[in-house]
Amino acid sequence: MENTEGYRCDDFVVNDTKLGLVQKVREHLQNLENSAFTADRHRKRKLLENSTLNSKLLKVNGSTTAICATGLRNLGNTCFMNAILQSLSNIEQFCCYFKELPAVELRNGKTAGRRTYHTRSQGDNNVSLVEEFRKTLCALWQGSQTAFSPESLFYVVWKIMPNFRGYQQQDAHEFMRYLLDHLHLELQGGFNGVSRSAILQENSTLSASNKCCINGASTVVTAIFGGILQNEVNCLICGTESRKFDPFLDLSLDIPSQFRSKRSKNQENGPVCSLRDCLRSFTDLEELDETELYMCHKCKKKQKSTKKFWIQKLPKVLCLHLKRFHWTAYLRNKVDTYVEFPLRGLDMKCYLLEPENSGPESCLYDLAAVVVHHGSGVGSGHYTAYATHEGRWFHFNDSTVTLTDEETVVKAKAYILFYVEHQAKAGSDKL
């Protein structure tokens, strides 16, 4: 055969029975692989079956209220996608933009529907990530179903993001970056004859003072998640300083090496690692090693140098990724260190290039969602998410959604943290 490349038919195949037996086998195998985590999972399911949560009702302060939250079905190791989708669905400004977009009928007639998304002969013109993302967000928080199956969205992911084809476990952070990048690219195109960037410009709250454009025109992705870093490099031989500005959608932070042996908050071998420690490690002045020599334009050769990051512009939503996976000679190991993080009032002022130009409240952030990886390796394990909605915290574990509390959230070993700009309430005390 001339073409030996995998996935030649370009199809997403769902050859399950009506009773979903194949899916049940997948779930069982995943549960075996993650036995430590699933013991707790089964216990919670038993509790759900015997409580009013199963009928989507909760007892809050003695009164019964609807839970409204909708879970996402696991299509076969797709918890990495579900955790990111649930997190993004609870970032109000971002989510509302997509939910308010007009619906698009991609095709009419007999071929409308699922086949549109995975038939090669129809080409990629009929694939819309934005549309399927919009539909998925609209299905969440309606409270009309126990779980939503994001099959159509996953078809599009397979079509336009070949890295995520197959049923193996994927990295949630990598998926989030691909998703945001592709949403950004598609949003720059036309939408029912109207430029989506034009729609964005009509929304003054999103376009105001937004100078962060990644790969072209601004979109809701860059308006919400976009910030700007200043990368400052100094030659240690002649003192020449070089500055450049880099747009970012998230910041990837190392867990400092002195904390990497600490696995729990209560371990007594030294102080607990905090998010501030990780941010300080990211922004502190560091000397570049021999493999990263800087090409000094004054010396006309590569020289030893120092590097420092400043934040030139903070985003509306600050996404922080903790680098828990590191390559050794042959393996990718996980750093299982507990990192302490604030639920409210994360102050970013000390990392700003020009803090004097920022207001007292503009640098404060409150946590909106956190993605957690359970297990030991990036190619295995399980992802869940915690997110806050209308003042209550929820735990999103694929199809299962449970009400939780702040004490549980702060104990989580965070992998990705989503912080939103603090909204000061009139007459409220400062944090």
Side-chain angles (χ1 to χ4, degrees):
M1 290 177 66
E2 290 182 7
N3 189 348
T4 57
E5 186 180 310
Y7 305 105
R8 276 202 317 132
C9 67
D10 214 16
D11 275 0
F12 176 98
V13 181
V14 182
N15 55 345
D16 207 345
T17 65
K18 286 185 179 180
L19 295 174
L21 296 176
V22 174
Q23 175 59 22
K24 287 177 182 177
V25 170
R26 279 199 198 106
E27 287 180 356
H28 179 64
L29 290 173
Q30 186 175 337
N31 286 343
L32 289 174
E33 185 180 4
N34 305 290
S35 57
F37 177 72
T38 53
D40 184 53
R41 199 173 172 187
H42 286 310
R43 183 180 59 80
K44 286 181 179 176
R45 278 186 179 169
K46 285 289 183 186
L47 287 171
L48 284 173
E49 287 166 6
N50 298 320
S51 70
T52 54
L53 269 175
N54 202 38
S55 60
K56 307 204 83 177
L57 296 175
L58 289 170
K59 285 276 187 181
V60 179
N61 296 330
S63 60
T64 304
T65 180
I67 190 171
C68 297
T70 299
L72 286 166
R73 288 200 177 94
N74 192 316
L75 306 175
N77 279 327
T78 55
C79 55
F80 68 92
M81 178 177 76
N82 292 347
I84 294 298
L85 293 175
Q86 292 287 15
S87 298
L88 294 177
S89 79
N90 286 285
I91 296 171
E92 189 175 357
Q93 209 175 2
F94 185 70
C95 181
C96 286
Y97 173 84
F98 286 94
K99 286 164 71 172
E100 289 169 8
L101 287 175
V104 175
E105 292 301 324
L106 297 178
R107 282 185 70 86
N108 297 315
K110 294 178 182 178
T111 59
R114 187 175 298 169
R115 286 184 57 217
T116 304
Y117 302 103
H118 67 107
T119 304
R120 169 176 275 185
S121 61
Q122 292 170 348
D124 283 351
N125 293 332
N126 296 312
V127 169
S128 173
L129 181 66
V130 169
E131 173 65 359
E132 292 308 326
F133 186 65
R134 181 194 70 81
K135 286 179 182 176
T136 302
L137 293 180
C138 287
L140 303 176
W141 293 107
Q142 288 186 346
S144 58
Q145 51 194 336
T146 54
F148 174 75
S149 181
E151 283 182 12
S152 294
L153 176 61
F154 201 38
Y155 290 143
V156 178
V157 168
W158 273 47
K159 187 82 174 178
I160 66 174
M161 304 181 205
N163 302 34
F164 297 96
R165 292 180 175 182
Y167 294 101
Q168 68 273 26
Q169 182 65 278
Q170 302 280 1
D171 184 272
H173 175 250
E174 187 181 359
F175 172 74
M176 182 198 75
R177 286 306 314 268
Y178 270 87
L179 178 68
L180 291 179
D181 287 346
H182 280 278
L183 287 171
H184 171 66
L185 288 171
E186 192 176 314
L187 283 165
Q188 291 178 75
F191 184 79
N192 271 2
V194 180
S195 166
R196 284 206 181 95
S197 57
I199 295 172
L200 176 65
Q201 292 305 316
E202 289 174 11
N203 190 333
S204 59
T205 61
L206 293 180
S207 59
S209 71
N210 177 54
K211 299 175 184 176
C212 180
C213 297
I214 299 170
N215 299 328
S218 173
T219 68
V220 68
V221 175
T222 51
I224 296 290
F225 290 96
I228 300 174
L229 279 177
Q230 177 182 286
N231 185 353
E232 188 176 290
V233 179
N234 282 279
C235 175
L236 288 174
I237 308 303
C238 70
T240 298
E241 186 180 89
S242 173
R243 295 178 183 177
K244 68 172 184 173
F245 293 96
D246 297 315
F248 68 87
L249 294 179
D250 70 320
L251 298 178
S252 288
L253 312 178
D254 276 307
I255 295 172
S257 56
Q258 67 266 33
F259 296 109
R260 288 186 190 176
S261 61
K262 287 199 60 160
R263 296 174 64 87
S264 70
K265 186 176 182 178
N266 299 323
Q267 233 172 305
E268 295 181 4
N269 57 337
V272 173
C273 181
S274 71
L275 189 59
R276 184 168 290 278
D277 291 317
C278 301
L279 284 162
R280 194 180 295 118
S281 174
F282 178 79
T283 55
D284 271 358
L285 186 74
E286 68 167 308
E287 186 173 331
L288 297 174
D289 62 30
E290 295 291 334
T291 61
E292 298 178 289
L293 291 178
Y294 162 65
M295 183 64 191
C296 179
H297 298 294
K298 188 172 181 180
C299 297
K300 306 295 184 187
K301 64 177 183 176
K302 289 187 175 183
Q303 301 281 36
K304 282 193 171 184
S305 56
T306 59
K307 179 184 74 173
K308 180 171 174 57
F309 283 122
W310 294 97
I311 297 176
Q312 198 264 341
K313 174 187 174 290
L314 282 165
K316 292 181 181 297
V317 174
L318 178 65
C319 179
L320 301 175
H321 159 238
L322 298 178
K323 291 157 78 170
R324 290 196 174 275
F325 299 107
H326 289 267
W327 283 104
T328 58
Y330 301 103
L331 298 171
R332 200 177 187 191
N333 290 335
K334 182 181 177 184
V335 179
D336 209 27
T337 303
Y338 171 77
V339 177
E340 198 170 53
F341 55 90
L343 290 181
R344 299 176 192 84
L346 173 65
D347 192 348
M348 295 295 293
K349 193 163 190 172
C350 61
Y351 311 109
L352 279 179
L353 183 64
E354 298 172 341
E356 64 277 4
N357 295 335
S358 302
E361 295 283 335
S362 64
C363 303
L364 294 179
Y365 287 84
D366 298 332
L367 190 66
V370 53
V371 173
V372 181
H373 177 269
H374 312 264
S376 58
V378 67
S380 60
H382 183 63
Y383 288 98
T384 67
Y386 293 95
T388 181
H389 185 83
E390 295 180 353
R392 294 188 293 175
W393 280 95
F394 293 86
H395 186 210
F396 297 91
N397 181 7
D398 289 335
S399 299
T400 305
V401 183
T402 52
L403 191 69
T404 188
D405 52 37
E406 293 184 353
E407 289 73 21
T408 303
V409 176
V410 295
K411 290 176 185 174
K413 289 182 181 176
Y415 182 46
I416 307 170
L417 296 147
F418 296 88
Y419 281 94
V420 299
E421 283 181 316
H422 174 67
Q423 302 296 318
K425 294 179 182 178
S428 66
D429 294 329
K430 285 186 179 181
L431 290 172

